[in-house]
Amino acid sequence: MSDRTSHGTTRMEASSAADSSTRATPLASRSARRRTTAVALAGVLGVDAGWHLYWATGTTWPARDAESLSMAVLNTQVPFTPVVVLPLAAVLVGAALLLLARGGAIRLPLPPTVPRLATAAVASGTTIRAVAGLIWATGAGTVDGSAFRLLNLLLYTPLCAACAGAAWWLVKE
């Protein structure tokens, strides 16, 4: 029985090559996971910023008016005026850029601590929102059958929980 594989290498050489490729792959895949996670999180914040920019035009879709929009999104009355939503859009875009920098998808002329702290801020904010969403899911502070209650259960809380987990992972990487 030959110690040569079908490719002409010895079993020892093939085993050694497989071991070295296995050792190299996790670093590359970890970097790719980090970048993918950052891009996904930045995408969520970017979509949210887009909604805020859209509402800054005075449009209230998908709601019929500003009051129902506020109740569906925030469960309270808040004006969706440019003076309110434009600064929020700017914060969301800034946070998205810093997430991309943390994930290595873009380079910003900042010390690495800044994107890491911004990522921790995103993780903290989404964690707080997810916990609040769990409290609202019990019915506390919400009206049965309201648009907010449904959106909180099906969209806001699960999305914030997923974003929080991903952001905390990105902070540690």
Side-chain angles (χ1 to χ4, degrees), residues 69-100:
L69 176 65
S70 183
M71 291 305 293
V73 173
L74 299 169
N75 198 36
T76 190
Q77 286 301 314
V78 176
F80 274 65
T81 59
V83 73
V84 173
V85 295
L86 287 176
L88 292 171
V91 168
L92 290 164
V93 168
L97 290 171
L98 290 164
L99 284 168
L100 291 172

PDB file of all heavy atoms in Angstrom, residues 69-100:
ATOM      1  N   LEU A  69     -49.029  58.059  12.661  1.00  0.00           N
ATOM      2  CA  LEU A  69     -47.629  57.672  12.443  1.00  0.00           C
ATOM      3  C   LEU A  69     -46.880  57.664  13.765  1.00  0.00           C
ATOM      4  O   LEU A  69     -46.180  56.696  14.095  1.00  0.00           O
ATOM      5  CB  LEU A  69     -46.947  58.623  11.450  1.00  0.00           C
ATOM      6  CG  LEU A  69     -45.462  58.376  11.210  1.00  0.00           C
ATOM      7  CD1 LEU A  69     -45.232  57.023  10.550  1.00  0.00           C
ATOM      8  CD2 LEU A  69     -44.888  59.488  10.342  1.00  0.00           C
ATOM      9  N   SER A  70     -47.030  58.719  14.539  1.00  0.00           N
ATOM     10  CA  SER A  70     -46.359  58.819  15.826  1.00  0.00           C
ATOM     11  C   SER A  70     -46.790  57.704  16.768  1.00  0.00           C
ATOM     12  O   SER A  70     -45.958  57.092  17.449  1.00  0.00           O
ATOM     13  CB  SER A  70     -46.648  60.186  16.454  1.00  0.00           C
ATOM     14  OG  SER A  70     -45.945  60.319  17.658  1.00  0.00           O
ATOM     15  N   MET A  71     -48.072  57.413  16.785  1.00  0.00           N
ATOM     16  CA  MET A  71     -48.577  56.350  17.660  1.00  0.00           C
ATOM     17  C   MET A  71     -48.084  54.974  17.213  1.00  0.00           C
ATOM     18  O   MET A  71     -47.766  54.133  18.048  1.00  0.00           O
ATOM     19  CB  MET A  71     -50.106  56.383  17.719  1.00  0.00           C
ATOM     20  CG  MET A  71     -50.660  57.601  18.439  1.00  0.00           C
ATOM     21  SD  MET A  71     -50.026  57.836  20.122  1.00  0.00           S
ATOM     22  CE  MET A  71     -50.733  56.420  20.960  1.00  0.00           C
ATOM     23  N   ALA A  72     -47.987  54.746  15.909  1.00  0.00           N
ATOM     24  CA  ALA A  72     -47.530  53.447  15.405  1.00  0.00           C
ATOM     25  C   ALA A  72     -46.034  53.244  15.624  1.00  0.00           C
ATOM     26  O   ALA A  72     -45.581  52.134  15.901  1.00  0.00           O
ATOM     27  CB  ALA A  72     -47.856  53.314  13.920  1.00  0.00           C
ATOM     28  N   VAL A  73     -45.268  54.315  15.518  1.00  0.00           N
ATOM     29  CA  VAL A  73     -43.817  54.190  15.624  1.00  0.00           C
ATOM     30  C   VAL A  73     -43.339  54.313  17.069  1.00  0.00           C
ATOM     31  O   VAL A  73     -42.444  53.586  17.497  1.00  0.00           O
ATOM     32  CB  VAL A  73     -43.113  55.240  14.727  1.00  0.00           C
ATOM     33  CG1 VAL A  73     -41.624  55.254  14.938  1.00  0.00           C
ATOM     34  CG2 VAL A  73     -43.444  54.971  13.262  1.00  0.00           C
ATOM     35  N   LEU A  74     -43.928  55.229  17.817  1.00  0.00           N
ATOM     36  CA  LEU A  74     -43.405  55.548  19.154  1.00  0.00           C
ATOM     37  C   LEU A  74     -44.371  55.279  20.306  1.00  0.00           C
ATOM     38  O   LEU A  74     -43.981  55.403  21.460  1.00  0.00           O
ATOM     39  CB  LEU A  74     -42.970  57.014  19.197  1.00  0.00           C
ATOM     40  CG  LEU A  74     -41.872  57.389  18.213  1.00  0.00           C
ATOM     41  CD1 LEU A  74     -41.708  58.899  18.162  1.00  0.00           C
ATOM     42  CD2 LEU A  74     -40.574  56.711  18.587  1.00  0.00           C
ATOM     43  N   ASN A  75     -45.634  55.009  20.006  1.00  0.00           N
ATOM     44  CA  ASN A  75     -46.646  54.786  21.025  1.00  0.00           C
ATOM     45  C   ASN A  75     -46.909  56.034  21.869  1.00  0.00           C
ATOM     46  O   ASN A  75     -47.336  55.958  23.009  1.00  0.00           O
ATOM     47  CB  ASN A  75     -46.272  53.605  21.932  1.00  0.00           C
ATOM     48  CG  ASN A  75     -47.458  53.068  22.700  1.00  0.00           C
ATOM     49  OD1 ASN A  75     -48.570  53.038  22.192  1.00  0.00           O
ATOM     50  ND2 ASN A  75     -47.216  52.650  23.931  1.00  0.00           N
ATOM     51  N   THR A  76     -46.605  57.184  21.313  1.00  0.00           N
ATOM     52  CA  THR A  76     -46.865  58.464  21.965  1.00  0.00           C
ATOM     53  C   THR A  76     -46.903  59.550  20.896  1.00  0.00           C
ATOM     54  O   THR A  76     -46.500  59.314  19.757  1.00  0.00           O
ATOM     55  CB  THR A  76     -45.786  58.772  23.037  1.00  0.00           C
ATOM     56  OG1 THR A  76     -46.198  59.886  23.807  1.00  0.00           O
ATOM     57  CG2 THR A  76     -44.442  59.034  22.419  1.00  0.00           C
ATOM     58  N   GLN A  77     -47.361  60.713  21.272  1.00  0.00           N
ATOM     59  CA  GLN A  77     -47.432  61.822  20.316  1.00  0.00           C
ATOM     60  C   GLN A  77     -46.118  62.601  20.288  1.00  0.00           C
ATOM     61  O   GLN A  77     -45.717  63.198  21.285  1.00  0.00           O
ATOM     62  CB  GLN A  77     -48.575  62.768  20.693  1.00  0.00           C
ATOM     63  CG  GLN A  77     -49.937  62.209  20.385  1.00  0.00           C
ATOM     64  CD  GLN A  77     -50.101  61.887  18.912  1.00  0.00           C
ATOM     65  OE1 GLN A  77     -49.754  62.667  18.036  1.00  0.00           O
ATOM     66  NE2 GLN A  77     -50.620  60.708  18.630  1.00  0.00           N
ATOM     67  N   VAL A  78     -45.458  62.549  19.158  1.00  0.00           N
ATOM     68  CA  VAL A  78     -44.227  63.301  18.916  1.00  0.00           C
ATOM     69  C   VAL A  78     -44.330  63.853  17.498  1.00  0.00           C
ATOM     70  O   VAL A  78     -44.733  63.130  16.581  1.00  0.00           O
ATOM     71  CB  VAL A  78     -42.981  62.398  19.038  1.00  0.00           C
ATOM     72  CG1 VAL A  78     -41.722  63.145  18.698  1.00  0.00           C
ATOM     73  CG2 VAL A  78     -42.881  61.808  20.435  1.00  0.00           C
ATOM     74  N   PRO A  79     -43.969  65.107  17.289  1.00  0.00           N
ATOM     75  CA  PRO A  79     -44.056  65.650  15.929  1.00  0.00           C
ATOM     76  C   PRO A  79     -42.981  65.039  15.015  1.00  0.00           C
ATOM     77  O   PRO A  79     -41.832  64.902  15.414  1.00  0.00           O
ATOM     78  CB  PRO A  79     -43.819  67.148  16.130  1.00  0.00           C
ATOM     79  CG  PRO A  79     -43.067  67.256  17.405  1.00  0.00           C
ATOM     80  CD  PRO A  79     -43.510  66.102  18.259  1.00  0.00           C
ATOM     81  N   PHE A  80     -43.388  64.649  13.834  1.00  0.00           N
ATOM     82  CA  PHE A  80     -42.457  64.124  12.838  1.00  0.00           C
ATOM     83  C   PHE A  80     -42.071  65.258  11.886  1.00  0.00           C
ATOM     84  O   PHE A  80     -42.221  65.153  10.679  1.00  0.00           O
ATOM     85  CB  PHE A  80     -43.089  62.942  12.089  1.00  0.00           C
ATOM     86  CG  PHE A  80     -42.909  61.625  12.790  1.00  0.00           C
ATOM     87  CD1 PHE A  80     -43.498  61.392  14.024  1.00  0.00           C
ATOM     88  CD2 PHE A  80     -42.129  60.624  12.241  1.00  0.00           C
ATOM     89  CE1 PHE A  80     -43.333  60.198  14.684  1.00  0.00           C
ATOM     90  CE2 PHE A  80     -41.949  59.419  12.893  1.00  0.00           C
ATOM     91  CZ  PHE A  80     -42.561  59.204  14.128  1.00  0.00           C
ATOM     92  N   THR A  81     -41.559  66.335  12.465  1.00  0.00           N
ATOM     93  CA  THR A  81     -41.159  67.511  11.697  1.00  0.00           C
ATOM     94  C   THR A  81     -39.667  67.437  11.389  1.00  0.00           C
ATOM     95  O   THR A  81     -38.923  66.717  12.065  1.00  0.00           O
ATOM     96  CB  THR A  81     -41.460  68.789  12.502  1.00  0.00           C
ATOM     97  OG1 THR A  81     -40.748  68.721  13.739  1.00  0.00           O
ATOM     98  CG2 THR A  81     -42.954  68.927  12.771  1.00  0.00           C
ATOM     99  N   PRO A  82     -39.218  68.181  10.382  1.00  0.00           N
ATOM    100  CA  PRO A  82     -37.792  68.151  10.040  1.00  0.00           C
ATOM    101  C   PRO A  82     -36.872  68.456  11.228  1.00  0.00           C
ATOM    102  O   PRO A  82     -35.820  67.831  11.367  1.00  0.00           O
ATOM    103  CB  PRO A  82     -37.660  69.215   8.946  1.00  0.00           C
ATOM    104  CG  PRO A  82     -39.000  69.211   8.290  1.00  0.00           C
ATOM    105  CD  PRO A  82     -39.989  68.971   9.413  1.00  0.00           C
ATOM    106  N   VAL A  83     -37.271  69.371  12.088  1.00  0.00           N
ATOM    107  CA  VAL A  83     -36.416  69.717  13.219  1.00  0.00           C
ATOM    108  C   VAL A  83     -36.237  68.526  14.177  1.00  0.00           C
ATOM    109  O   VAL A  83     -35.231  68.435  14.873  1.00  0.00           O
ATOM    110  CB  VAL A  83     -36.938  70.976  13.956  1.00  0.00           C
ATOM    111  CG1 VAL A  83     -38.194  70.676  14.758  1.00  0.00           C
ATOM    112  CG2 VAL A  83     -35.878  71.595  14.819  1.00  0.00           C
ATOM    113  N   VAL A  84     -37.170  67.594  14.166  1.00  0.00           N
ATOM    114  CA  VAL A  84     -37.084  66.404  15.014  1.00  0.00           C
ATOM    115  C   VAL A  84     -36.404  65.253  14.269  1.00  0.00           C
ATOM    116  O   VAL A  84     -35.496  64.604  14.807  1.00  0.00           O
ATOM    117  CB  VAL A  84     -38.489  65.976  15.504  1.00  0.00           C
ATOM    118  CG1 VAL A  84     -38.432  64.649  16.242  1.00  0.00           C
ATOM    119  CG2 VAL A  84     -39.102  67.057  16.374  1.00  0.00           C
ATOM    120  N   VAL A  85     -36.827  64.974  13.046  1.00  0.00           N
ATOM    121  CA  VAL A  85     -36.360  63.760  12.363  1.00  0.00           C
ATOM    122  C   VAL A  85     -35.017  63.919  11.641  1.00  0.00           C
ATOM    123  O   VAL A  85     -34.295  62.934  11.484  1.00  0.00           O
ATOM    124  CB  VAL A  85     -37.430  63.193  11.406  1.00  0.00           C
ATOM    125  CG1 VAL A  85     -38.644  62.722  12.185  1.00  0.00           C
ATOM    126  CG2 VAL A  85     -37.826  64.184  10.344  1.00  0.00           C
ATOM    127  N   LEU A  86     -34.669  65.120  11.210  1.00  0.00           N
ATOM    128  CA  LEU A  86     -33.377  65.279  10.519  1.00  0.00           C
ATOM    129  C   LEU A  86     -32.173  65.027  11.431  1.00  0.00           C
ATOM    130  O   LEU A  86     -31.230  64.340  11.012  1.00  0.00           O
ATOM    131  CB  LEU A  86     -33.288  66.648   9.837  1.00  0.00           C
ATOM    132  CG  LEU A  86     -34.148  66.810   8.582  1.00  0.00           C
ATOM    133  CD1 LEU A  86     -34.057  68.239   8.039  1.00  0.00           C
ATOM    134  CD2 LEU A  86     -33.770  65.794   7.518  1.00  0.00           C
ATOM    135  N   PRO A  87     -32.165  65.544  12.658  1.00  0.00           N
ATOM    136  CA  PRO A  87     -31.037  65.191  13.540  1.00  0.00           C
ATOM    137  C   PRO A  87     -30.960  63.685  13.820  1.00  0.00           C
ATOM    138  O   PRO A  87     -29.858  63.129  13.900  1.00  0.00           O
ATOM    139  CB  PRO A  87     -31.327  65.971  14.831  1.00  0.00           C
ATOM    140  CG  PRO A  87     -32.184  67.104  14.402  1.00  0.00           C
ATOM    141  CD  PRO A  87     -33.013  66.575  13.270  1.00  0.00           C
ATOM    142  N   LEU A  88     -32.108  63.044  13.939  1.00  0.00           N
ATOM    143  CA  LEU A  88     -32.098  61.592  14.147  1.00  0.00           C
ATOM    144  C   LEU A  88     -31.513  60.875  12.935  1.00  0.00           C
ATOM    145  O   LEU A  88     -30.736  59.930  13.076  1.00  0.00           O
ATOM    146  CB  LEU A  88     -33.509  61.089  14.441  1.00  0.00           C
ATOM    147  CG  LEU A  88     -34.101  61.533  15.773  1.00  0.00           C
ATOM    148  CD1 LEU A  88     -35.575  61.158  15.853  1.00  0.00           C
ATOM    149  CD2 LEU A  88     -33.335  60.948  16.930  1.00  0.00           C
ATOM    150  N   ALA A  89     -31.875  61.322  11.745  1.00  0.00           N
ATOM    151  CA  ALA A  89     -31.318  60.728  10.524  1.00  0.00           C
ATOM    152  C   ALA A  89     -29.808  60.917  10.488  1.00  0.00           C
ATOM    153  O   ALA A  89     -29.063  59.994  10.121  1.00  0.00           O
ATOM    154  CB  ALA A  89     -31.970  61.340   9.288  1.00  0.00           C
ATOM    155  N   ALA A  90     -29.333  62.099  10.878  1.00  0.00           N
ATOM    156  CA  ALA A  90     -27.881  62.359  10.887  1.00  0.00           C
ATOM    157  C   ALA A  90     -27.162  61.444  11.872  1.00  0.00           C
ATOM    158  O   ALA A  90     -26.087  60.904  11.567  1.00  0.00           O
ATOM    159  CB  ALA A  90     -27.616  63.826  11.222  1.00  0.00           C
ATOM    160  N   VAL A  91     -27.737  61.245  13.052  1.00  0.00           N
ATOM    161  CA  VAL A  91     -27.134  60.346  14.048  1.00  0.00           C
ATOM    162  C   VAL A  91     -27.098  58.920  13.511  1.00  0.00           C
ATOM    163  O   VAL A  91     -26.091  58.209  13.659  1.00  0.00           O
ATOM    164  CB  VAL A  91     -27.897  60.423  15.389  1.00  0.00           C
ATOM    165  CG1 VAL A  91     -27.484  59.298  16.328  1.00  0.00           C
ATOM    166  CG2 VAL A  91     -27.675  61.773  16.050  1.00  0.00           C
ATOM    167  N   LEU A  92     -28.173  58.491  12.881  1.00  0.00           N
ATOM    168  CA  LEU A  92     -28.226  57.137  12.325  1.00  0.00           C
ATOM    169  C   LEU A  92     -27.192  56.934  11.224  1.00  0.00           C
ATOM    170  O   LEU A  92     -26.519  55.900  11.165  1.00  0.00           O
ATOM    171  CB  LEU A  92     -29.636  56.835  11.806  1.00  0.00           C
ATOM    172  CG  LEU A  92     -30.699  56.664  12.893  1.00  0.00           C
ATOM    173  CD1 LEU A  92     -32.094  56.766  12.294  1.00  0.00           C
ATOM    174  CD2 LEU A  92     -30.520  55.350  13.625  1.00  0.00           C
ATOM    175  N   VAL A  93     -27.027  57.921  10.346  1.00  0.00           N
ATOM    176  CA  VAL A  93     -26.021  57.820   9.274  1.00  0.00           C
ATOM    177  C   VAL A  93     -24.614  57.801   9.880  1.00  0.00           C
ATOM    178  O   VAL A  93     -23.762  56.990   9.483  1.00  0.00           O
ATOM    179  CB  VAL A  93     -26.174  58.972   8.252  1.00  0.00           C
ATOM    180  CG1 VAL A  93     -24.983  59.041   7.319  1.00  0.00           C
ATOM    181  CG2 VAL A  93     -27.462  58.791   7.455  1.00  0.00           C
ATOM    182  N   GLY A  94     -24.368  58.677  10.853  1.00  0.00           N
ATOM    183  CA  GLY A  94     -23.057  58.691  11.513  1.00  0.00           C
ATOM    184  C   GLY A  94     -22.753  57.370  12.190  1.00  0.00           C
ATOM    185  O   GLY A  94     -21.645  56.835  12.077  1.00  0.00           O
ATOM    186  N   ALA A  95     -23.742  56.826  12.893  1.00  0.00           N
ATOM    187  CA  ALA A  95     -23.548  55.531  13.556  1.00  0.00           C
ATOM    188  C   ALA A  95     -23.294  54.425  12.533  1.00  0.00           C
ATOM    189  O   ALA A  95     -22.439  53.559  12.747  1.00  0.00           O
ATOM    190  CB  ALA A  95     -24.766  55.197  14.415  1.00  0.00           C
ATOM    191  N   ALA A  96     -24.007  54.464  11.415  1.00  0.00           N
ATOM    192  CA  ALA A  96     -23.801  53.455  10.368  1.00  0.00           C
ATOM    193  C   ALA A  96     -22.374  53.521   9.824  1.00  0.00           C
ATOM    194  O   ALA A  96     -21.722  52.489   9.631  1.00  0.00           O
ATOM    195  CB  ALA A  96     -24.816  53.652   9.243  1.00  0.00           C
ATOM    196  N   LEU A  97     -21.872  54.724   9.597  1.00  0.00           N
ATOM    197  CA  LEU A  97     -20.492  54.873   9.109  1.00  0.00           C
ATOM    198  C   LEU A  97     -19.482  54.341  10.127  1.00  0.00           C
ATOM    199  O   LEU A  97     -18.504  53.675   9.762  1.00  0.00           O
ATOM    200  CB  LEU A  97     -20.199  56.331   8.774  1.00  0.00           C
ATOM    201  CG  LEU A  97     -20.919  56.880   7.548  1.00  0.00           C
ATOM    202  CD1 LEU A  97     -20.725  58.395   7.446  1.00  0.00           C
ATOM    203  CD2 LEU A  97     -20.429  56.183   6.278  1.00  0.00           C
ATOM    204  N   LEU A  98     -19.718  54.629  11.395  1.00  0.00           N
ATOM    205  CA  LEU A  98     -18.801  54.151  12.428  1.00  0.00           C
ATOM    206  C   LEU A  98     -18.875  52.628  12.584  1.00  0.00           C
ATOM    207  O   LEU A  98     -17.855  51.977  12.854  1.00  0.00           O
ATOM    208  CB  LEU A  98     -19.077  54.859  13.750  1.00  0.00           C
ATOM    209  CG  LEU A  98     -18.678  56.338  13.734  1.00  0.00           C
ATOM    210  CD1 LEU A  98     -19.311  57.094  14.888  1.00  0.00           C
ATOM    211  CD2 LEU A  98     -17.160  56.488  13.751  1.00  0.00           C
ATOM    212  N   LEU A  99     -20.050  52.037  12.394  1.00  0.00           N
ATOM    213  CA  LEU A  99     -20.161  50.575  12.389  1.00  0.00           C
ATOM    214  C   LEU A  99     -19.363  49.977  11.236  1.00  0.00           C
ATOM    215  O   LEU A  99     -18.661  48.973  11.407  1.00  0.00           O
ATOM    216  CB  LEU A  99     -21.620  50.149  12.266  1.00  0.00           C
ATOM    217  CG  LEU A  99     -22.480  50.275  13.511  1.00  0.00           C
ATOM    218  CD1 LEU A  99     -23.949  50.098  13.159  1.00  0.00           C
ATOM    219  CD2 LEU A  99     -22.067  49.269  14.567  1.00  0.00           C
ATOM    220  N   LEU A 100     -19.464  50.608  10.064  1.00  0.00           N
ATOM    221  CA  LEU A 100     -18.699  50.121   8.908  1.00  0.00           C
ATOM    222  C   LEU A 100     -17.202  50.205   9.175  1.00  0.00           C
ATOM    223  O   LEU A 100     -16.441  49.307   8.799  1.00  0.00           O
ATOM    224  CB  LEU A 100     -19.070  50.915   7.655  1.00  0.00           C
ATOM    225  CG  LEU A 100     -20.484  50.686   7.122  1.00  0.00           C
ATOM    226  CD1 LEU A 100     -20.799  51.671   6.005  1.00  0.00           C
ATOM    227  CD2 LEU A 100     -20.651  49.248   6.649  1.00  0.00           C
TER     228      LEU A 100
END
